[in-house]
Amino acid sequence: MNTRDMNTQKTGAGATLDHRPGDRRPDGLLGPGTLLLVVGPSGAGKDTLIDIARARFAGDGRVLFARRLVTRPAGMDEAHGTLNEAEFEALRAQGRFPLFWRAHGLCYALGPEVAQAIAEGGVVVANGSRATLPEARARFARVRVVEVTAPVAVRAGRLAARGREDAADIEERLSRAPEVDVAPDLVIDNVGTPADGGERLGAFIAAELAATE
Ligand SMILES: Nc1ncnc2c1ncn2[C@@H]1O[C@H](COP(=O)(O)OP(=O)(O)OP(=O)(O)O)[C@@H](O)[C@H]1O
Ligand SMILES: O=P(O)(O)OC[C@H]1O[C@H](OP(=O)(O)O)[C@H](O)[C@@H]1O
């Protein structure tokens, strides 16, 4: 299976059971492909920019836009696989997740298809957690970090308009600030149009493809 096929693959909890994480290199790291993590505070616009970049690389089998597994019902504004906490814990204990984290009272994971795409030399783009960057580098051979930012007042307005969380949850999201422990490879101050930010992310992905071919 190439990474384009995996782009459309269903990655709900049941579907992951047939797959094993990709082969590890002698150094124990998942490679040789790139894990490109898009991180930054809630409301900065990570998913928005990822969606724009996804459209640019539609049909490009070298790029997989990871569909996260989250213990949150799938909403209208973000496609992810949904599973409950017991399912999450069972899969985690079986070692099915190449990367997982907890935040906002939720559990998040990347599924085995991510490890497979990396093993095939692909570039995997994923919305990740700032807090999980050290773990990502401990597991993956090549990690690139794109940090998306926006002023807190802008983020507050966006989260309120998005309407996915209530006021208390939004407050928690606005105040959450885990450290980004390395200098990001790219910072996108997402205060222009979504198209502008999406173009910058897309250009970074294209450069990563060129660098790894
Ligand atoms: N450049 C922009 N200009 C105006 N609105 C934007 C821009 N980028 C994103 N938005 C809007 O801001 C809201 C939050 O964006 P998005 O969901 O992409 O953020 P996020 O960083 O993924 O947040 P979270 O971590 O909470 O999922 C969305 O409703 C989106 O439409
Ligand atoms: O604050 P940190 O640890 O960087 O990020 C925590 C997690 O929360 C957000 O996801 P979502 O808004 O719940 O989809 C981020 O995308 C990340 O996965």
Side-chain angles (χ1 to χ4, degrees):
M1 186 190 307
N2 67 24
T3 49
R4 180 178 54 208
D5 292 331
M6 286 183 286
N7 252 334
T8 56
Q9 187 184 3
K10 192 162 181 253
T11 54
T16 64
L17 288 169
D18 296 329
H19 303 287
R20 287 256 161 225
D23 292 336
R24 286 176 188 270
R25 309 179 334 158
D27 60 12
L29 299 176
L30 291 166
T34 302
L35 179 63
L36 198 164
L37 290 172
V38 180
V39 304
S42 187
K46 300 179 293 296
D47 283 321
T48 300
L49 305 192
I50 288 171
D51 284 346
I52 292 168
R54 180 188 288 112
R56 171 169 170 173
F57 292 96
D60 188 330
R62 301 169 299 172
V63 186
L64 171 67
F65 287 83
R67 184 165 175 262
R68 297 186 301 180
L69 298 167
V70 187
T71 57
R72 170 175 62 209
M76 292 168 58
D77 59 347
E78 188 212 5
H80 59 74
T82 298
L83 69 183
N84 64 36
E85 289 202 19
E87 291 169 329
F88 186 98
E89 181 53 28
L91 291 168
R92 188 203 62 74
Q94 291 168 25
R96 303 291 178 163
F97 298 148
L99 192 66
F100 60 91
W101 61 97
R102 292 183 170 81
H104 314 307
L106 299 169
C107 306
Y108 300 80
L110 303 182
E113 73 281 4
V114 166
Q116 186 62 39
I118 296 277
E120 293 175 4
V123 173
V124 175
V125 181
N127 178 337
S129 162
R130 293 165 288 181
T132 313
L133 292 175
E135 184 67 17
R137 285 196 304 276
R139 291 176 175 234
F140 290 85
R142 186 174 173 87
V143 178
R144 289 292 176 268
V145 177
V146 175
E147 184 177 16
V148 182
T149 65
V152 67
V154 172
R155 294 190 285 114
R158 288 178 183 171
L159 292 181
R162 186 175 68 180
R164 192 178 72 187
E165 292 88 13
D166 64 21
D169 283 349
I170 288 174
E171 200 53 45
E172 184 272 333
R173 280 173 174 270
L174 291 173
S175 63
R176 182 175 159 83
E179 188 186 344
V180 176
D181 71 325
V182 289
D185 298 290
L186 173 69
V187 176
I188 300 175
D189 193 20
N190 183 30
V191 292
T193 65
D196 285 345
E199 165 60 28
R200 291 197 66 200
L201 177 58
F204 186 82
I205 295 168
E208 181 62 18
L209 283 170
T212 54
E213 275 183 351

